[in-house]
Coordinates of all heavy atoms in Angstrom, one line a residue:
M1228 N 24.3 -8.1 9.6 CA 23.3 -7.6 8.6 C 22.0 -8.4 8.9 O 21.9 -9.6 8.9 CB 23.8 -7.8 7.3 CG 25.0 -6.9 6.9 SD 24.5 -5.3 6.7 CE 24.0 -5.3 4.9
K1229 N 21.0 -7.6 9.0 CA 19.6 -8.2 9.2 C 19.0 -8.5 7.8 O 19.1 -7.6 7.0 CB 18.8 -7.3 10.0 CG 17.9 -8.0 10.8 CD 17.1 -7.0 11.8 CE 15.9 -7.6 12.4 NZ 15.0 -6.7 13.1
K1230 N 18.6 -9.6 7.6 CA 18.0 -10.0 6.3 C 16.5 -9.4 6.3 O 15.7 -9.7 7.2 CB 17.9 -11.5 6.1 CG 18.1 -11.8 4.7 CD 18.1 -13.3 4.5 CE 17.9 -13.8 3.2 NZ 17.6 -15.2 3.2
T1231 N 16.2 -8.7 5.2 CA 14.8 -8.1 5.2 C 14.0 -8.8 4.0 O 14.6 -9.0 2.9 CB 14.8 -6.6 4.9 OG1 15.7 -6.3 3.9 CG2 15.2 -5.8 6.1
P1232 N 12.9 -9.4 4.3 CA 12.2 -10.0 3.2 C 11.7 -9.1 2.2 O 11.4 -7.9 2.4 CB 10.9 -10.6 4.0 CG 10.8 -9.8 5.2 CD 12.2 -9.3 5.5
L1233 N 11.6 -9.6 1.0 CA 11.1 -8.8 -0.2 C 9.6 -8.6 -0.3 O 9.0 -9.6 0.0 CB 11.7 -9.3 -1.5 CG 13.3 -9.2 -1.7 CD1 13.6 -9.8 -3.0 CD2 13.7 -7.8 -1.7
R1234 N 9.2 -7.4 -0.6 CA 7.8 -7.2 -0.8 C 7.5 -7.0 -2.2 O 8.4 -6.6 -3.0 CB 7.3 -6.1 0.0 CG 7.6 -6.0 1.5 CD 7.0 -7.2 2.1 NE 7.5 -7.4 3.6 CZ 7.0 -8.2 4.4 NH1 6.0 -8.9 4.2 NH2 7.6 -8.2 5.6
M1235 N 6.2 -7.2 -2.7 CA 5.9 -6.9 -4.1 C 4.8 -5.9 -4.2 O 3.8 -5.9 -3.5 CB 5.4 -8.3 -4.6 CG 5.3 -8.4 -6.1 SD 4.9 -10.0 -6.7 CE 3.2 -10.1 -6.2
C1236 N 5.0 -5.1 -5.2 CA 3.9 -4.0 -5.6 C 2.7 -4.8 -6.1 O 2.9 -5.6 -7.1 CB 4.6 -3.1 -6.6 SG 3.4 -2.0 -7.3
V1237 N 1.5 -4.4 -5.7 CA 0.3 -5.1 -6.2 C 0.0 -4.7 -7.6 O -0.7 -5.4 -8.3 CB -0.9 -4.8 -5.4 CG1 -0.8 -5.4 -3.9 CG2 -1.3 -3.3 -5.3
I1238 N 0.7 -3.7 -8.2 CA 0.4 -3.2 -9.5 C 1.4 -3.7 -10.5 O 1.1 -4.5 -11.4 CB 0.4 -1.7 -9.6 CG1 -0.8 -1.1 -8.9 CG2 0.3 -1.2 -11.1 CD1 -2.1 -1.5 -9.3
C1239 N 2.7 -3.4 -10.3 CA 3.7 -3.8 -11.3 C 4.5 -5.1 -11.0 O 5.2 -5.6 -11.7 CB 4.6 -2.7 -11.6 SG 5.7 -2.3 -10.2
R1240 N 4.2 -5.6 -9.7 CA 4.8 -6.9 -9.3 C 6.2 -6.8 -9.1 O 7.1 -7.8 -9.1 CB 4.3 -8.1 -10.1 CG 2.8 -8.2 -10.3 CD 2.4 -9.3 -11.1 NE 2.3 -10.5 -10.3 CZ 1.3 -10.9 -9.5 NH1 0.3 -10.1 -9.4 NH2 1.4 -12.0 -8.9
T1241 N 6.8 -5.6 -9.0 CA 8.3 -5.4 -8.7 C 8.5 -5.8 -7.3 O 7.7 -5.6 -6.5 CB 8.7 -3.9 -8.9 OG1 8.4 -3.5 -10.4 CG2 10.1 -3.6 -8.6
K1242 N 9.6 -6.5 -7.1 CA 10.0 -6.9 -5.8 C 11.2 -6.0 -5.2 O 12.1 -5.7 -5.9 CB 10.4 -8.4 -5.8 CG 9.3 -9.3 -5.9 CD 9.6 -10.7 -5.8 CE 8.4 -11.6 -6.0 NZ 8.8 -13.0 -6.4
A1243 N 11.0 -5.6 -4.0 CA 11.9 -4.7 -3.4 C 11.8 -4.8 -1.8 O 10.9 -5.3 -1.4 CB 11.9 -3.3 -3.9
D1244 N 12.7 -4.1 -1.2 CA 12.7 -4.0 0.2 C 11.4 -3.2 0.6 O 11.0 -2.3 0.0 CB 13.9 -3.3 0.8 CG 14.0 -3.3 2.3 OD1 13.2 -2.4 2.9 OD2 14.8 -4.0 2.8
K1245 N 10.8 -3.6 1.8 CA 9.5 -2.9 2.1 C 9.6 -1.4 2.3 O 8.7 -0.7 2.1 CB 8.8 -3.6 3.2 CG 9.5 -3.5 4.6 CD 8.6 -4.2 5.6 CE 9.2 -4.0 7.0 NZ 8.4 -4.7 8.0
R1246 N 10.8 -1.0 2.7 CA 11.1 0.5 2.9 C 11.0 1.3 1.5 O 10.8 2.5 1.6 CB 12.4 0.7 3.5 CG 12.4 0.5 5.1 CD 13.8 0.4 5.6 NE 14.6 -0.7 5.1 CZ 15.8 -1.1 5.5 NH1 16.4 -0.4 6.4 NH2 16.5 -2.0 4.9
D1247 N 11.1 0.6 0.5 CA 11.0 1.3 -0.8 C 9.6 1.4 -1.2 O 9.3 2.1 -2.3 CB 11.8 0.5 -1.9 CG 13.2 0.5 -1.6 OD1 13.7 1.4 -0.9 OD2 13.9 -0.4 -2.1
F1248 N 8.6 0.8 -0.5 CA 7.3 0.8 -0.9 C 6.4 1.6 0.0 O 6.7 1.9 1.2 CB 6.7 -0.6 -1.0 CG 7.1 -1.5 -2.1 CD1 7.5 -2.8 -1.9 CD2 7.2 -0.9 -3.4 CE1 8.0 -3.6 -2.9 CE2 7.6 -1.7 -4.4 CZ 8.0 -3.1 -4.3
I1249 N 5.2 1.9 -0.5 CA 4.1 2.5 0.3 C 3.4 1.3 0.9 O 3.1 0.4 0.2 CB 3.2 3.4 -0.5 CG1 3.8 4.6 -1.0 CG2 1.9 3.7 0.3 CD1 3.1 5.4 -2.0
R1250 N 3.2 1.3 2.2 CA 2.5 0.2 2.8 C 1.0 0.4 3.2 O 0.8 1.5 3.7 CB 3.2 -0.3 4.1 CG 2.6 -1.5 4.8 CD 3.4 -2.1 5.9 NE 2.9 -3.3 6.3 CZ 2.3 -3.6 7.5 NH1 2.2 -2.6 8.3 NH2 1.9 -4.7 7.8
I1251 N 0.1 -0.4 2.8 CA -1.3 -0.2 3.2 C -1.6 -1.4 4.1 O -1.3 -2.5 3.8 CB -2.2 -0.1 1.9 CG1 -1.9 1.1 1.2 CG2 -3.7 -0.3 2.3 CD1 -0.9 1.1 0.1
V1252 N -2.2 -1.1 5.2 CA -2.4 -2.2 6.2 C -3.9 -2.5 6.5 O -4.7 -1.5 6.5 CB -1.6 -1.8 7.5 CG1 -2.2 -0.6 8.3 CG2 -1.6 -3.0 8.4
L1253 N -4.1 -3.7 6.7 CA -5.5 -4.0 7.1 C -5.5 -4.2 8.6 O -4.8 -5.0 9.2 CB -5.9 -5.5 6.5 CG -7.1 -6.1 7.1 CD1 -8.4 -5.3 6.7 CD2 -7.3 -7.5 6.5
N1254 N -6.1 -3.2 9.3 CA -6.1 -3.1 10.7 C -6.9 -4.2 11.4 O -7.8 -4.8 10.8 CB -6.5 -1.8 11.2 CG -5.6 -0.7 10.6 OD1 -4.5 -0.5 11.2 ND2 -6.0 0.1 9.7
K1255 N -6.8 -4.4 12.7 CA -7.5 -5.4 13.4 C -9.0 -5.1 13.5 O -9.9 -6.0 13.5 CB -7.0 -5.4 14.9 CG -5.7 -6.2 15.0 CD -5.5 -6.6 16.5 CE -4.1 -7.2 16.7 NZ -3.1 -6.1 16.9
D1256 N -9.4 -3.8 13.4 CA -10.9 -3.4 13.2 C -11.4 -3.4 11.8 O -12.4 -3.0 11.5 CB -11.0 -2.0 13.8 CG -10.3 -1.0 13.1 OD1 -9.7 -1.2 12.1 OD2 -10.4 0.2 13.5
E1257 N -10.6 -4.1 11.0 CA -11.0 -4.3 9.5 C -11.0 -3.1 8.7 O -11.5 -3.0 7.5 CB -12.3 -5.0 9.4 CG -12.3 -6.4 10.1 CD -13.2 -7.4 9.6 OE1 -14.3 -7.0 9.1 OE2 -13.0 -8.6 9.7
T1258 N -10.5 -1.9 9.2 CA -10.3 -0.7 8.4 C -9.0 -0.9 7.6 O -8.1 -1.7 8.1 CB -10.2 0.6 9.2 OG1 -9.1 0.4 10.1 CG2 -11.6 0.9 9.9
V1259 N -8.9 -0.2 6.5 CA -7.7 -0.3 5.7 C -7.1 1.1 5.6 O -7.8 2.1 5.2 CB -8.0 -0.9 4.2 CG1 -6.8 -0.8 3.3 CG2 -8.6 -2.3 4.4
T1260 N -5.9 1.3 6.0 CA -5.3 2.6 6.1 C -3.8 2.6 5.6 O -3.2 1.5 5.5 CB -5.2 3.1 7.6 OG1 -4.7 2.0 8.3 CG2 -6.6 3.4 8.0
F1261 N -3.4 3.7 5.2 CA -2.0 4.0 4.8 C -1.2 3.9 6.0 O -1.5 4.4 7.0 CB -1.9 5.3 4.1 CG -0.5 5.8 3.9 CD1 0.4 5.1 3.2 CD2 -0.2 7.2 4.2 CE1 1.7 5.5 2.9 CE2 1.2 7.6 3.9 CZ 2.1 6.8 3.3
D1262 N 0.0 3.3 5.9 CA 0.9 3.0 7.1 C 2.3 3.7 6.7 O 3.1 3.0 6.2 CB 1.0 1.6 7.4 CG 2.0 1.3 8.4 OD1 2.4 2.2 9.1 OD2 2.5 0.1 8.5
P1263 N 2.3 4.9 7.0 CA 3.6 5.6 6.7 C 4.9 5.1 7.5 O 6.0 5.2 7.0 CB 3.4 7.1 7.1 CG 2.2 7.1 7.9 CD 1.4 5.8 7.7
T1264 N 4.6 4.5 8.6 CA 5.7 4.0 9.4 C 6.2 2.5 9.0 O 7.3 2.1 9.2 CB 5.4 3.9 10.9 OG1 4.3 2.9 11.1 CG2 4.9 5.3 11.4
G1265 N 5.2 1.8 8.3 CA 5.6 0.4 8.0 C 5.5 -0.5 9.2 O 6.0 -1.6 9.2
K1266 N 5.0 0.0 10.3 CA 5.2 -0.8 11.6 C 3.9 -1.2 12.2 O 3.8 -1.9 13.2 CB 5.9 0.1 12.6 CG 7.4 0.1 12.3 CD 8.1 1.0 13.3 CE 9.6 1.1 12.9 NZ 10.2 2.2 13.6
V1267 N 2.7 -0.8 11.5 CA 1.4 -1.2 12.1 C 1.2 -2.7 11.9 O 1.6 -3.2 10.8 CB 0.4 -0.4 11.3 CG1 -1.1 -0.9 11.8 CG2 0.5 1.1 11.6
S1268 N 0.8 -3.4 12.8 CA 0.6 -4.8 12.8 C -0.7 -5.1 12.0 O -1.6 -4.4 12.1 CB 0.5 -5.5 14.1 OG -0.6 -5.1 14.9
G1269 N -0.6 -6.2 11.3 CA -1.8 -6.5 10.4 C -1.2 -7.0 9.0 O -0.1 -6.7 8.8
R1270 N -2.2 -7.5 8.2 CA -1.7 -7.8 6.8 C -1.5 -6.6 6.0 O -2.2 -5.7 6.1 CB -2.8 -8.7 6.2 CG -2.4 -9.2 4.8 CD -3.5 -9.8 4.1 NE -4.3 -10.9 4.7 CZ -3.7 -12.2 4.8 NH1 -2.7 -12.5 4.1 NH2 -4.4 -13.1 5.4
G1271 N -0.3 -6.5 5.3 CA 0.0 -5.4 4.5 C 0.0 -5.7 3.1 O 0.2 -6.9 2.6
A1272 N -0.2 -4.7 2.3 CA -0.1 -4.7 0.8 C 0.8 -3.5 0.4 O 0.8 -2.5 1.1 CB -1.4 -4.7 0.1
Y1273 N 1.5 -3.7 -0.7 CA 2.5 -2.6 -1.0 C 2.3 -2.1 -2.4 O 1.9 -2.8 -3.3 CB 3.8 -3.3 -0.9 CG 4.1 -3.8 0.5 CD1 3.7 -5.1 0.9 CD2 4.8 -3.0 1.4 CE1 3.9 -5.5 2.2 CE2 5.0 -3.4 2.7 CZ 4.6 -4.7 3.1 OH 4.7 -5.1 4.4
L1274 N 2.7 -0.8 -2.5 CA 2.7 -0.1 -3.8 C 4.0 0.6 -4.0 O 4.5 1.1 -3.0 CB 1.6 1.0 -3.7 CG 0.2 0.7 -4.3 CD1 -0.5 2.0 -4.1 CD2 0.2 0.3 -5.7
C1275 N 4.4 0.7 -5.2 CA 5.6 1.5 -5.5 C 5.4 2.9 -5.0 O 4.3 3.4 -5.1 CB 6.1 1.5 -6.9 SG 6.4 -0.1 -7.5
R1276 N 6.5 3.6 -4.7 CA 6.4 5.0 -4.2 C 6.5 5.8 -5.6 O 7.4 6.7 -5.6 CB 7.6 5.3 -3.3 CG 7.2 6.3 -2.2 CD 8.5 6.4 -1.3 NE 8.4 5.4 -0.2 CZ 7.7 5.6 0.9 NH1 7.0 6.7 1.0 NH2 7.6 4.7 1.8
N1277 N 5.8 5.5 -6.5 CA 5.7 6.4 -7.7 C 4.4 6.6 -8.3 O 3.4 5.9 -8.1 CB 6.8 5.9 -8.8 CG 6.3 4.6 -9.4 OD1 5.1 4.4 -9.7 ND2 7.1 3.6 -9.6
E1278 N 4.2 7.7 -9.0 CA 2.9 8.1 -9.4 C 2.3 7.1 -10.4 O 1.1 7.0 -10.3 CB 3.1 9.5 -10.2 CG 1.7 10.2 -10.3 CD 2.0 11.6 -10.9 OE1 3.2 12.2 -10.9 OE2 1.0 12.2 -11.4
K1279 N 3.1 6.4 -11.2 CA 2.5 5.5 -12.1 C 1.8 4.4 -11.4 O 0.6 4.1 -11.8 CB 3.7 4.9 -12.9 CG 3.3 4.2 -14.2 CD 4.5 3.8 -15.0 CE 4.3 2.4 -15.5 NZ 5.5 1.5 -15.2
C1280 N 2.3 3.8 -10.4 CA 1.7 2.7 -9.7 C 0.5 3.2 -8.9 O -0.5 2.6 -8.7 CB 2.7 1.9 -8.9 SG 3.8 0.9 -9.9
I1281 N 0.7 4.3 -8.3 CA -0.4 5.0 -7.4 C -1.6 5.2 -8.3 O -2.7 4.9 -8.0 CB 0.1 6.1 -6.7 CG1 1.1 5.8 -5.6 CG2 -1.1 6.9 -6.1 CD1 1.9 6.9 -5.0
M1282 N -1.4 5.8 -9.4 CA -2.5 6.2 -10.3 C -3.1 4.9 -10.9 O -4.3 4.8 -11.0 CB -2.1 7.0 -11.5 CG -1.5 8.4 -11.1 SD -2.6 9.4 -9.9 CE -3.8 9.9 -11.0
A1283 N -2.3 3.9 -11.1 CA -2.8 2.6 -11.7 C -3.7 2.0 -10.6 O -4.8 1.4 -10.9 CB -1.7 1.7 -12.2
E1284 N -3.2 2.0 -9.4 CA -4.1 1.5 -8.3 C -5.4 2.2 -8.1 O -6.4 1.5 -7.9 CB -3.2 1.5 -6.9 CG -4.0 1.2 -5.8 CD -4.9 -0.1 -5.7 OE1 -4.5 -1.0 -6.4 OE2 -5.9 -0.2 -5.0
L1285 N -5.4 3.5 -8.2 CA -6.7 4.3 -8.1 C -7.7 3.8 -9.1 O -8.8 3.9 -8.9 CB -6.5 5.7 -8.0 CG -5.5 6.2 -6.9 CD1 -5.3 7.7 -7.0 CD2 -6.1 5.8 -5.6
K1286 N -7.2 3.3 -10.2 CA -8.2 2.8 -11.2 C -8.4 1.3 -11.1 O -9.5 0.9 -11.2 CB -7.5 3.0 -12.6 CG -7.6 4.5 -13.1 CD -7.1 4.6 -14.6 CE -6.9 6.0 -14.9 NZ -6.0 6.3 -16.0
A1287 N -7.4 0.6 -10.8 CA -7.5 -0.9 -10.8 C -8.0 -1.5 -9.5 O -8.5 -2.6 -9.5 CB -6.2 -1.6 -11.2
H1288 N -7.8 -0.8 -8.4 CA -8.2 -1.3 -7.0 C -7.7 -2.7 -6.7 O -8.5 -3.5 -6.4 CB -9.7 -1.2 -6.9 CG -10.3 0.2 -6.9 ND1 -11.4 0.5 -6.3 CD2 -9.8 1.2 -7.5 CE1 -11.6 1.8 -6.5 NE2 -10.7 2.4 -7.2
K1289 N -6.4 -2.9 -6.8 CA -5.9 -4.2 -6.6 C -5.4 -4.5 -5.2 O -5.1 -5.5 -4.7 CB -4.5 -4.4 -7.4 CG -5.0 -4.4 -8.9 CD -4.0 -5.4 -9.7 CE -4.5 -5.3 -11.1 NZ -4.2 -6.5 -12.0
L1290 N -5.5 -3.4 -4.3 CA -5.0 -3.5 -3.0 C -6.0 -4.5 -2.2 O -5.5 -5.2 -1.3 CB -5.1 -2.1 -2.3 CG -3.8 -1.3 -2.7 CD1 -4.0 0.1 -2.1 CD2 -2.5 -1.9 -2.1
S1291 N -7.3 -4.4 -2.5 CA -8.1 -5.3 -1.7 C -7.8 -6.7 -1.9 O -7.9 -7.6 -1.1 CB -9.6 -5.0 -2.0 OG -10.0 -5.2 -3.4
K1292 N -7.3 -7.0 -3.2 CA -7.0 -8.4 -3.5 C -5.7 -8.8 -2.8 O -5.5 -9.8 -2.2 CB -6.7 -8.6 -5.0 CG -7.8 -9.0 -5.7 CD -7.5 -9.4 -7.2 CE -8.9 -9.6 -8.0 NZ -8.6 -9.4 -9.4
G1293 N -4.8 -7.8 -2.7 CA -3.4 -8.0 -2.1 C -3.6 -8.2 -0.6 O -3.0 -9.1 0.0
L1294 N -4.7 -7.5 0.0 CA -5.0 -7.7 1.4 C -6.0 -8.8 1.7 O -6.1 -9.2 2.8 CB -5.7 -6.4 2.0 CG -4.7 -5.2 2.0 CD1 -5.6 -3.9 2.1 CD2 -3.7 -5.2 3.0
R1295 N -6.5 -9.4 0.6 CA -7.5 -10.5 0.7 C -8.7 -10.0 1.6 O -9.1 -10.8 2.4 CB -6.9 -11.8 1.2 CG -6.0 -12.4 0.1 CD -5.5 -13.6 0.7 NE -3.9 -13.7 0.4 CZ -3.1 -14.4 1.2 NH1 -3.5 -15.1 2.2 NH2 -1.8 -14.4 1.0
H1296 N -9.0 -8.8 1.4 CA -10.1 -8.2 2.2 C -10.7 -7.0 1.4 O -9.9 -6.3 0.8 CB -9.5 -7.7 3.6 CG -10.6 -7.4 4.5 ND1 -11.2 -6.2 4.6 CD2 -11.1 -8.2 5.5 CE1 -12.1 -6.2 5.6 NE2 -12.1 -7.4 6.1
P1297 N -12.1 -6.9 1.4 CA -12.6 -5.8 0.7 C -12.3 -4.5 1.5 O -12.1 -4.4 2.6 CB -14.1 -6.0 0.7 CG -14.3 -7.0 1.9 CD -13.0 -7.8 2.0
I1298 N -12.1 -3.4 0.7 CA -12.0 -2.1 1.2 C -13.2 -1.2 1.1 O -13.8 -1.1 0.0 CB -10.7 -1.3 0.5 CG1 -9.5 -2.2 0.6 CG2 -10.5 0.0 1.2 CD1 -8.3 -1.7 -0.2
T1299 N -13.7 -0.7 2.2 CA -15.0 0.1 2.0 C -14.7 1.3 1.3 O -13.6 1.8 1.1 CB -15.5 0.4 3.5 OG1 -14.5 1.4 4.1 CG2 -15.7 -0.7 4.4
E1300 N -15.8 1.9 0.7 CA -15.6 3.1 -0.1 C -15.1 4.3 0.7 O -14.2 5.0 0.2 CB -17.1 3.6 -0.6 CG -17.1 3.7 -2.1 CD -18.5 3.8 -2.6 OE1 -19.0 5.0 -2.5 OE2 -19.2 2.9 -3.0
A1301 N -15.5 4.4 2.0 CA -15.0 5.5 2.8 C -13.5 5.3 3.0 O -12.7 6.3 2.9 CB -15.8 5.5 4.1
D1302 N -13.1 4.2 3.4 CA -11.6 3.8 3.6 C -10.8 4.1 2.3 O -9.7 4.7 2.4 CB -11.4 2.4 3.9 CG -11.7 2.1 5.4 OD1 -11.9 3.1 6.2 OD2 -11.7 1.0 5.9
Y1303 N -11.4 3.7 1.2 CA -10.7 3.8 -0.1 C -10.6 5.3 -0.4 O -9.5 5.8 -0.9 CB -11.4 3.1 -1.3 CG -10.4 2.7 -2.2 CD1 -9.7 1.5 -2.2 CD2 -10.1 3.7 -3.3 CE1 -8.8 1.2 -3.1 CE2 -9.0 3.3 -4.2 CZ -8.4 2.1 -4.2 OH -7.4 1.8 -5.1
E1304 N -11.6 6.1 -0.1 CA -11.5 7.6 -0.4 C -10.4 8.3 0.4 O -9.7 9.0 -0.1 CB -12.8 8.2 0.1 CG -13.4 9.1 -1.0 CD -14.9 9.5 -0.7 OE1 -15.1 10.3 0.2 OE2 -15.8 8.8 -1.2
Q1305 N -10.3 7.9 1.7 CA -9.2 8.4 2.6 C -7.9 8.0 2.0 O -6.9 8.7 1.9 CB -9.5 7.9 4.0 CG -8.5 8.4 5.0 CD -8.4 9.9 5.1 OE1 -9.4 10.6 4.9 NE2 -7.3 10.5 5.3
L1306 N -7.8 6.6 1.7 CA -6.6 6.1 1.2 C -6.1 6.8 -0.1 O -4.9 7.1 -0.3 CB -6.9 4.6 0.9 CG -5.7 3.7 0.8 CD1 -4.8 3.7 2.1 CD2 -6.1 2.2 0.6
A1307 N -7.1 7.0 -0.9 CA -6.8 7.7 -2.3 C -6.1 9.0 -2.0 O -5.1 9.4 -2.7 CB -8.0 7.8 -3.1
K1308 N -6.6 9.8 -1.0 CA -6.2 11.1 -0.7 C -4.7 11.0 -0.2 O -3.8 11.8 -0.6 CB -7.0 11.7 0.4 CG -8.2 12.5 -0.1 CD -8.9 13.2 1.0 CE -10.4 13.2 0.8 NZ -11.1 13.4 2.1
E1309 N -4.5 10.0 0.6 CA -3.1 9.8 1.2 C -2.1 9.4 0.1 O -1.0 9.9 0.2 CB -3.2 8.9 2.4 CG -3.8 9.6 3.6 CD -4.2 8.6 4.7 OE1 -4.3 7.5 4.5 OE2 -4.3 9.2 5.9
L1310 N -2.6 8.6 -0.8 CA -1.7 8.1 -1.8 C -1.3 9.2 -2.8 O -0.2 9.4 -3.2 CB -2.4 6.9 -2.6 CG -2.4 5.5 -1.8 CD1 -3.2 4.5 -2.7 CD2 -1.2 5.1 -1.3
L1311 N -2.3 10.0 -3.1 CA -2.1 11.2 -4.0 C -1.2 12.2 -3.2 O -0.4 12.8 -4.0 CB -3.4 11.9 -4.4 CG -4.2 10.9 -5.4 CD1 -5.7 11.6 -5.5 CD2 -3.6 10.9 -6.7
A1312 N -1.3 12.3 -2.0 CA -0.3 13.2 -1.2 C 1.1 12.7 -1.4 O 2.1 13.5 -1.5 CB -0.8 13.3 0.2
Q1313 N 1.3 11.3 -1.4 CA 2.6 10.8 -1.6 C 3.1 11.1 -3.0 O 4.2 11.4 -3.2 CB 2.5 9.2 -1.5 CG 2.2 8.7 -0.1 CD 3.2 9.1 0.8 OE1 4.4 8.8 0.7 NE2 2.9 9.9 1.9
C1314 N 2.2 11.1 -4.0 CA 2.6 11.5 -5.3 C 3.2 12.9 -5.3 O 4.2 13.2 -5.9 CB 1.4 11.5 -6.2 SG 0.9 10.0 -7.0
A1315 N 2.4 13.8 -4.7 CA 2.8 15.2 -4.6 C 4.2 15.4 -4.0 O 4.9 16.3 -4.4 CB 1.7 16.0 -3.9
N1316 N 4.5 14.5 -3.0 CA 5.8 14.7 -2.4 C 6.9 14.1 -3.2 O 8.1 14.3 -2.9 CB 5.8 13.9 -1.0 CG 4.8 14.6 0.0 OD1 4.5 15.7 -0.2 ND2 4.4 13.8 0.9
E1317 N 6.6 13.3 -4.2 CA 7.6 12.7 -5.0 C 8.4 13.7 -5.8 O 7.8 14.7 -6.4 CB 6.9 11.8 -6.1 CG 7.9 11.0 -7.0 CD 8.5 9.8 -6.2 OE1 8.0 9.5 -5.1 OE2 9.4 9.3 -6.8
V1318 N 9.8 13.7 -5.7 CA 10.6 14.7 -6.4 C 10.9 14.2 -7.8 O 11.4 13.1 -7.9 CB 12.0 14.9 -5.6 CG1 12.8 16.0 -6.3 CG2 11.6 15.3 -4.2
Ligands
ZN359 ZN1 4.8 -0.8 -8.8

């Protein structure tokens, strides 16, 4: 059995396996993007895969703190769209 480190949601601070979270990654070119595979290299921040935490993030903008890097408006706009799409997929 491979041990997987726990990740924490930037909003509600719940800890869980990273596969249970939405991963947002700070890329090498300093753009910040949604990482649906969880495999992109770079610093990651995590959000629960639920509407409550996603909507809270869109108001509170805690991801930039989690990433310890500012997120540009353009990146955030794109990110918001992708996060909302995740909400829509939630059953
Ligand atoms: Zn959460």
Side-chain angles (χ1 to χ4, degrees):
M1228 289 285 277
K1229 217 175 163 188
K1230 213 176 156 191
T1231 47
L1233 292 178
R1234 308 294 172 172
M1235 190 174 74
C1236 172
V1237 296
I1238 297 295
C1239 66
R1240 307 180 82 81
T1241 297
K1242 287 182 183 161
D1244 188 282
K1245 67 177 183 178
R1246 279 169 299 186
D1247 295 334
F1248 286 136
I1249 291 167
R1250 181 170 192 254
I1251 289 91
V1252 66
L1253 172 63
N1254 296 288
K1255 285 200 186 89
D1256 63 1
E1257 302 203 338
T1258 57
V1259 175
T1260 52
F1261 171 49
D1262 171 19
T1264 64
K1266 287 179 183 165
V1267 176
S1268 66
R1270 187 192 298 280
Y1273 300 84
L1274 264 183
C1275 296
R1276 215 175 269 281
N1277 67 46
E1278 196 172 341
K1279 196 173 136 232
C1280 285
I1281 290 169
M1282 295 313 283
E1284 166 53 26
L1285 296 182
K1286 281 185 190 157
H1288 292 209
K1289 296 215 180 205
L1290 281 172
S1291 59
K1292 267 188 195 161
L1294 293 167
R1295 289 180 232 155
H1296 193 275
I1298 304 175
T1299 66
E1300 235 171 83
D1302 279 353
Y1303 206 91
E1304 227 168 83
Q1305 180 60 33
L1306 198 56
K1308 272 185 214 159
E1309 286 168 339
L1310 292 179
L1311 287 170
Q1313 292 298 303
C1314 277
N1316 292 338
E1317 184 76 11
V1318 180

